[in-house]
């Protein structure tokens, strides 16, 4: 029993120091062991221009489900590091959300505003099909429902589509879950969960951010938004009359809550000293640049950090329902449950005097270990 428990902990454990992605194939294997990955697949199709990586982290609880990100990465190694970190996060996200799914993710290296084509996404779909259902994809940053419709032409292992019982764009459900997670965090930090007149800085004006801002403004919050694309910010100004700042200035905004809803690693050595918020709670994945260092620093500074993979699980909860028979009502109900999940993590963190990230990792790992043990029984 102890051996089993240790084995599952080994699969799931997070590298103790920040890992920069290696450049040789042996080092890649070492890195996979460090992160606990089962499989990493490199996909190349020069005709369509596809360059992609699919990472399957852990399938103890079920097939690895996670979106496909398309981004103009600074380097191939940055893309590889991103997909390893993101897919590991999906394992924990599915576990803490109570889903029978493992963790996986894919990245397509390219500019989402210039390099998309039917051939590229259908080519990617064939690689997904080749994994025989071990990996199920969906949209993520830089990809859309329309892109997934192309992927769907080549594989049935795709969620977040509009056709064939699909649920479409998951970001409204992600945002709805983030909204409820923010309320649970506010209750802990400020004594009540009302967001009326709370000052909230939202980084990003994309899919998740736009839906989140609608909920926040509806409840009376004073919202400030930034994005690297001015047209997206201006759309939110037109829709909700929010305040805006230049992208880099979002860290200096006088606010109660900082909600990262853009890309990862936004909480780092440079930005932490600039933050005014007492709570960090937002939809972006991998918000902490170096979790092992930055989570304790946030606590020392009196900033309550809500683990990203917990609070942004609403979209995964939504697409997971496609595998069972989709119901929008159930999806909304599940996303609301993030309030209670956040409360449980905060209670464990306080009672055991551990970081919020340690509390959430512990709950996720315990579930993976317990269910993994059950699955070993011959029936
Ligand atoms: P999106 O592409 O629609 O939005 C991201 C936005 O961030 C874009 O508008 C982009 O221009 C902006 N951005 C990039 N760098 C920025 C910077 N430095 N400052 C300000 N803005 C910047 O993507 P999305 O679907 O809204 O996802 C946002 C985040 O939430 C991502 O980290 C994603 O992984 C995470 N997430 C999304 C979902 C979902 O359902 N879409 C689910 C879980 C997690």
């Amino acid at each position: 029993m102890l051996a089993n428990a240790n084995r599952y902990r080994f699969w799931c454990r997070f590298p103790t120091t920040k890992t920069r992605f290696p450049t040789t194939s042996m080092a890649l294997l070492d890195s996979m062991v460090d992160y606990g990955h089962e499989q990493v697949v490199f996909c190349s199709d020069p005709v369509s221009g596809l360059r992609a990586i699919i990472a399957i982290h852990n399938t103890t609880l079920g097939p690895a489900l996670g979106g496909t990100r398309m981004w103009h990465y600074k380097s191939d190694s940055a893309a590889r590091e991103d997909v390893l970190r993101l897919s590991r996060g999906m394992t924990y996200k599915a576990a803490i959300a109570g889903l029978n799914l493992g963790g996986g993710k894919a990245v397509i290296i390219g500019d989402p505003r210039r390099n998309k084509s039917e051939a590229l996404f259908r080519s990617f779909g064939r690689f997904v099909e080749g994994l025989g259902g071990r990996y199920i994809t969906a949209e993520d940053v830089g990809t859309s429902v329309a892109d997934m419709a192309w992927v769907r032409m080549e594989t049935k292992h795709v969620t977040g589509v509009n056709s064939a019982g699909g649920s479409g764009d998951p970001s409204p459900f992600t945002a709805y879950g983030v909204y409820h997670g923010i309320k649970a965090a506010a209750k802990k930090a400020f004594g009540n969960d009302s967001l009326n007149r709370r000052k909230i800085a939202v980084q990003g004006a994309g899919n998740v951010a736009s839906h989140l801002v609608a909920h926040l403004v509806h409840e009376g919050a004073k919202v400030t938004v930034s994005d690297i694309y001015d047209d997206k910010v201006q759309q939110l100004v037109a829709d909700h009359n929010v305040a805006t700042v230049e992208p880099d200035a979002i860290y200096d905004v006088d606010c109660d809550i900082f909600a990262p809803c853009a890309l990862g690693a936004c909480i780092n050595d440079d930005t932490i000293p600039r933050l005014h918020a007492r709570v960090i709670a937002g939809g972006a994945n991998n918000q902490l640049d170096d979790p092992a260092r930055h989570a304790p620093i946030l606590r020392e500074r009196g900033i309550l950090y809500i683990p990203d993979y917990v609070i942004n699980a609403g979209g995964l909860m939504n697409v997971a329902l496609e595998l069972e028979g989709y119901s929008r009502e159930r999806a909304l109900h599940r996303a609301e449950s993030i309030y209670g999940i956040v409360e449980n993590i905060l209670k464990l963190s306080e009672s055991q005097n551990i970081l919020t990230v340690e509390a959430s990792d512990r709950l996720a790992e315990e579930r993976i270990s317990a269910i993994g043990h059950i699955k070993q029984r011959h029936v």
Side-chain angles (χ1 to χ4, degrees):
M1 173 59 201
L2 185 64
N4 283 336
N6 283 338
R7 185 149 65 97
Y8 287 116
R9 237 187 299 276
F10 177 69
W11 281 355
C12 298
R13 80 187 155 86
F14 191 63
T16 46
T17 54
K18 190 175 174 185
T19 309
R20 280 293 167 210
F21 202 82
T23 47
T24 68
S25 54
M26 284 317 289
L28 166 60
L29 272 172
D30 287 345
S31 189
M32 282 175 65
V33 172
D34 263 4
Y35 275 93
H37 279 76
E38 294 176 7
Q39 190 177 7
V40 178
V41 180
F42 291 80
C43 316
S44 165
D45 174 13
V47 175
S48 67
L50 178 74
R51 295 173 74 232
I53 311 170
I54 301 171
I56 296 176
H57 178 256
N58 186 299
T59 56
T60 303
L61 296 179
L65 197 155
T68 298
R69 176 168 296 193
M70 184 169 187
W71 198 248
H72 34 76
Y73 289 97
K74 284 187 185 139
S75 64
D76 287 0
S77 61
R80 293 178 215 143
E81 185 171 341
D82 206 25
V83 79
L84 287 187
R85 291 186 69 178
L86 289 166
S87 51
R88 178 192 172 279
M90 293 307 293
T91 296
Y92 280 74
K93 188 184 306 200
I96 202 97
L99 302 172
N100 292 320
L101 290 170
K105 200 88 179 182
V107 295
I108 295 177
I109 300 167
D111 184 340
R113 289 206 167 190
R114 295 156 57 98
N115 302 133
K116 286 187 179 182
S117 69
E118 176 186 354
L120 182 134
F121 281 101
R122 291 185 68 167
S123 178
F124 175 70
R126 290 191 76 79
F127 282 103
V128 173
E129 178 66 11
L131 288 165
R134 272 174 57 71
Y135 170 65
I136 303 169
T137 197
E139 19 326 59
D140 191 66
V141 174
T143 59
S144 65
V145 174
D147 303 330
M148 291 307 125
W150 281 327
V151 174
R152 181 73 175 81
M153 290 177 189
E154 302 299 334
T155 181
K156 62 180 185 302
H157 305 301
V158 52
T159 54
V161 289
N162 269 333
S163 58
S167 61
D169 177 11
S171 58
F173 299 88
T174 303
Y176 191 54
V178 172
Y179 166 64
H180 285 280
I182 288 177
K183 286 178 75 66
K187 188 174 168 195
K188 174 77 178 167
F190 309 115
N192 71 74
D193 72 4
S194 170
L195 301 180
N196 187 26
R197 305 192 68 75
R198 283 263 165 253
K199 290 178 277 182
I200 305 181
V202 178
Q203 182 182 44
N207 293 325
V208 173
S210 303
H211 293 287
L212 175 63
V213 165
H215 293 298
L216 299 177
V217 169
H218 186 251
E219 194 172 329
K222 293 173 175 300
V223 176
T224 305
V225 171
S226 73
D227 198 286
I228 53 171
Y229 293 118
D230 193 50
D231 55 335
K232 294 190 172 194
V233 171
Q234 291 313 321
Q235 187 62 52
L236 282 182
V237 172
D239 291 346
H240 303 293
N241 197 24
V242 291
T244 68
V245 289
E246 289 298 308
D248 188 56
I250 196 77
Y251 302 108
D252 306 312
V253 168
D254 173 26
C255 62
D256 304 305
I257 298 168
F258 179 61
C261 294
L263 299 185
C266 55
I267 309 297
N268 55 48
D269 291 339
D270 296 332
T271 59
I272 290 174
R274 296 166 58 187
L275 293 174
H276 297 259
R278 279 176 53 199
V279 172
I280 298 175
N285 282 311
N286 295 335
Q287 293 167 23
L288 306 187
D289 184 35
D290 186 353
R293 270 192 330 105
H294 292 133
I297 292 174
L298 289 176
R299 185 162 77 166
E300 279 159 26
R301 297 179 79 97
I303 300 174
L304 179 65
Y305 172 67
I306 305 302
D308 43 24
Y309 69 79
V310 176
I311 192 167
N312 71 16
L316 179 65
M317 291 168 163
N318 178 62
V319 294
L321 279 171
E322 287 183 30
L323 308 174
E324 305 169 12
Y326 187 68
S327 149
R328 188 172 183 277
E329 250 177 43
R330 283 182 65 202
L332 289 171
H333 189 64
R334 276 193 182 176
E336 282 169 19
S337 74
I338 288 174
Y339 188 110
I341 297 172
V342 169
E343 277 193 316
N344 285 342
I345 287 163
L346 295 178
K347 270 185 211 149
L348 183 65
S349 162
E350 187 172 323
S351 67
Q352 302 289 306
N353 194 23
I354 55 177
L355 298 165
T356 53
V357 286
E358 290 174 317
S360 56
D361 280 8
R362 188 180 292 181
L363 290 174
E365 287 174 13
E366 281 174 3
R367 178 161 181 259
I368 293 169
S369 179
I371 305 302
H373 176 70
I374 290 167
K375 285 187 171 190
Q376 287 181 335
R377 194 168 301 139
H378 181 75
V379 286

